Amino acid sequence: MSTDATLSFEEAMEKYDPVLGFEVHVELNTKTKMFSSAPNVFGDEPNTNVNEVDLGLPGVLPVVNGKAIESSIKIGLALNCKIAESCTFARKQYFYPDTPKNFQTSQYEDPIAYDGYLDIELADGTVFRVEIERAHMEEDAGKLTHKGGAAGRIQGADFSLVDYNRSGVPLVEIVTKPIEGAGSRAPELAKAYVAAVREIVKNLGVSDARMERGNVRCDANVSLRPHGRERFGIRSETKNVNSLRAVEHAVRYEIQRHAAVLDAGNPVIQETRHWHEETRSTTSGRPKSDADDYRYFPEPDLVPVVASREWVEELRATLPEPPAARRKRLQADWGYSELEFRDVVNAGVLDEIEETIAAGASASVARKWWMGEIVGRAKNADVDPGQLGVEPATIVTLNRLVEDGKINNKMASAVLDGVLAGEGTPEEIVAARGLAVVSDDGPLLEAIDAALAAQPDVAEKIRGGKVQAIGAIVGGVMKATRGQADAGRVRELILEKLGVEG
């Protein structure tokens, strides 16, 4: 795969101002689809959750999902939007194999929510306001699987398979106004904004918000303009980015690519781009369509949606606490310092720690595992921590095995590796790998005798009162038992054998 020329990020920032825009698509977790009674279920066999409405068969009529409207209003309220008293649907015309009707039922001139904002907190506590232009309702398209090409991409594929299970799933698309003034923090802001939207819809309970499943996807728009110029540059739109790290990397890459194009004296092409995680780069998709190209017109088969002020206020009263208030409460409940809590938020494991505590772990234990073990593995794998697939119950089980003395911390780390490799539950991995702690005094005394015999000078130092030297003997025993000895019991037995008070 060829990659485009890029400037260094620092050089790009010296010459240009980035302007951003985001379209975040949120799949709603209603039981049925937006305009049909087909089940809205993830992971079933392809093309089993479809009916005649989803397939666009002749003569069928759509019916709006009332729960989806309710969820859409809640999202609008949580984004500080105004809620339209009446809004309409439109047909967005375009041909693609995963849209069997050859149009998408969406909203155009009359979105259900508009003119909102989100205050986004960056890593150092700086707050950046992102203006929301609209949040509108629509239906999702199906899913194409490309066969025969490299890495499952459409480029070079021999053929494609289409699954219409996702076709018609309720979506809310959240569109920002142009975002100016982020400067070199544009990639960081991109990640933080999508994280904030994901946190909101998850807390509302209106979406499962699992980015790896496509429940939350981001189209990231980037343009550059020379410092001091007011007119926006030509934008590109990187489509369907489905992880927080990828959003950050995609924005950074596009800034560097745009800068190289402009520096070479060439025009930026207005187009969609495909993100490639393996290379952290984008490739050209198709020329970007403007609204006129879609030939929107009012959907003739659906009446306007009316949201009375009474209903809107009833829904407002059901909203959970805002994210900022939730974070303050969680920090106080867990007893984390400002720095500890900010590290948790910046690592993107706030929800995971909350779920682990709910599963039975203490706040300190949950933080130790997620920040000490899992975040590092996620960084090495270049994925978000939640994408590793570690369940909160697994952390609780691992910690219980350590506290019960069945394994030590080093073994627990190895067991976690086994879980991530798909070897089974922690208990199954301990049994299969033979990782149980050796706590029987017989084998431990044999290993201690051998370690003392190998290091008589250390033994004399311990007898002479230099108890801190015991670490060398303990280390020898741990090596002899492949790290499976109970270190605390080993220390007790060494002191007893040498006749030294602990």
Side-chain angles (χ1 to χ4, degrees):
M1 180 192 304
S2 63
T3 56
D4 295 281
T6 59
L7 246 58
S8 73
F9 186 75
E10 292 72 21
E11 190 174 359
M13 289 297 96
E14 288 176 2
K15 298 180 177 182
Y16 302 102
D17 287 326
V19 178
L20 308 178
F22 303 109
E23 299 159 25
V24 177
H25 302 258
V26 178
E27 281 188 347
L28 304 180
N29 56 8
T30 54
K31 292 181 180 179
T32 56
K33 295 186 179 179
M34 188 72 205
F35 302 111
S36 84
S37 60
N40 176 15
V41 180
F42 178 86
D44 284 358
E45 287 295 313
N47 297 309
T48 55
N49 297 331
V50 295
N51 64 18
E52 60 276 6
V53 176
D54 307 310
L55 296 176
L57 298 184
V60 298
L61 290 174
V63 177
V64 177
N65 186 324
K67 186 66 176 178
I69 294 174
E70 178 181 299
S71 297
S72 302
I73 293 173
K74 287 182 177 181
I75 290 174
L77 292 172
L79 296 173
N80 303 295
C81 287
K82 301 173 183 176
I83 305 300
E85 294 191 33
S86 177
C87 61
T88 58
F89 286 98
R91 290 188 180 183
K92 182 180 182 181
Q93 314 285 330
Y94 67 97
F95 170 76
Y96 210 62
D98 56 7
T99 54
K101 299 184 296 185
N102 287 341
F103 65 85
Q104 179 189 35
T105 305
S106 181
Q107 292 189 303
Y108 177 44
E109 294 180 328
D110 303 314
I112 194 166
Y114 58 96
D115 285 350
Y117 66 89
L118 275 183
D119 287 329
I120 306 301
E121 183 175 349
L122 302 182
D124 62 357
T126 302
V127 176
F128 197 104
R129 175 161 290 191
V130 174
E131 304 283 347
I132 307 295
E133 180 178 308
R134 57 192 282 142
H136 64 260
M137 299 180 289
E138 60 186 24
E139 59 182 340
D140 211 343
K143 180 176 175 60
L144 291 175
T145 301
H146 307 293
K147 296 292 185 179
R153 300 290 183 179
I154 192 170
Q155 294 91 345
D158 296 325
F159 62 93
S160 299
L161 303 175
V162 63
D163 177 10
Y164 288 124
N165 279 352
R166 198 175 69 181
S167 181
V169 167
L171 275 183
V172 171
E173 180 176 344
I174 302 163
V175 182
T176 69
K177 296 179 181 179
I179 302 168
E180 306 175 60
S184 62
R185 307 195 74 172
E188 179 189 358
L189 176 61
K191 178 181 178 181
Y193 169 74
V194 178
V197 171
R198 185 185 66 168
E199 181 182 9
I200 285 171
V201 298
K202 186 174 182 179
N203 290 346
L204 287 172
V206 299
S207 174
D208 295 337
R210 297 184 61 171
M211 296 190 74
E212 74 278 10
R213 290 185 175 182
N215 299 145
V216 176
R217 312 189 293 272
C218 177
D219 297 343
N221 292 268
V222 173
S223 69
L224 296 185
R225 59 186 178 187
H227 289 302
R229 179 179 294 179
E230 293 187 8
R231 180 166 54 86
F232 293 159
I234 301 298
R235 64 188 172 93
S236 64
E237 180 182 4
T238 305
K239 300 287 288 185
N240 293 324
V241 188
N242 68 344
S243 83
L244 298 179
R245 290 172 67 86
V247 170
E248 180 177 22
H249 293 156
V251 167
R252 187 182 185 91
Y253 177 83
E254 280 297 283
I255 288 173
Q256 295 178 247
R257 186 184 68 84
H258 280 224
V261 172
L262 295 172
D263 254 28
N266 298 319
V268 173
I269 298 173
Q270 183 170 318
E271 62 181 348
T272 64
R273 307 281 295 184
H274 298 293
W275 172 249
H276 303 280
E277 186 63 43
E278 62 276 12
T279 59
R280 289 193 185 178
S281 63
T282 66
T283 55
S284 180
R286 59 178 173 81
K288 176 58 182 171
S289 301
D290 290 318
D292 290 345
D293 299 318
Y294 290 119
R295 295 182 293 112
Y296 284 98
F297 69 83
E299 168 58 70
D301 293 331
L302 291 170
V303 299
V305 174
V306 177
S308 70
R309 296 303 89 185
E310 292 77 16
W311 186 33
V312 170
E313 292 309 312
E314 287 176 8
L315 293 176
R316 191 192 303 276
T318 68
L319 298 182
E321 61 185 335
R326 171 177 174 252
R327 291 180 183 184
K328 288 182 180 179
R329 174 179 59 80
L330 291 178
Q331 182 184 351
D333 290 348
W334 298 346
Y336 292 175
S337 69
E338 288 282 349
L339 180 59
E340 289 172 338
F341 193 79
R342 182 167 293 171
D343 286 345
V344 165
V345 172
N346 292 338
V349 293
L350 183 66
D351 291 341
E352 287 76 9
I353 287 180
E354 184 179 29
E355 291 166 6
T356 303
I357 293 171
S362 69
S364 60
V365 163
R367 180 180 174 276
K368 179 192 78 171
W369 278 96
W370 282 99
M371 296 299 294
E373 293 282 349
I374 299 171
V375 167
R377 286 171 168 79
K379 186 176 182 179
N380 290 337
D382 199 24
V383 298
D384 295 328
Q387 291 181 293
L388 286 178
V390 180
E391 297 294 333
T394 298
I395 299 302
V396 173
T397 300
L398 274 172
N399 195 70
R400 186 181 68 246
L401 291 172
V402 173
E403 290 183 343
D404 289 348
K406 294 181 179 179
I407 59 176
N408 56 34
N409 286 322
K410 184 177 180 180
M411 294 176 191
S413 185
V415 173
L416 179 58
D417 288 334
V419 170
L420 294 176
E423 296 178 19
T425 66
E427 294 96 332
E428 291 169 343
I429 294 168
V430 168
R433 292 193 179 189
L435 289 175
V437 165
V438 177
S439 55
D440 181 65
D441 287 356
L444 293 181
L445 287 169
E446 290 180 11
I448 289 170
D449 287 340
L452 290 171
Q455 304 179 78
D457 55 329
V458 176
E460 287 303 316
K461 289 180 181 179
I462 298 171
R463 288 193 184 98
K466 295 183 177 179
V467 179
Q468 64 269 25
I470 199 172
I473 305 299
V474 173
V477 174
M478 298 302 290
K479 183 177 180 180
T481 59
R482 296 180 303 163
Q484 293 182 235
D486 181 339
R489 183 56 180 159
V490 169
R491 189 178 189 280
E492 292 174 0
L493 291 174
I494 293 171
L495 294 175
E496 288 177 11
K497 197 166 190 66
L498 297 178
V500 176
E501 291 291 332

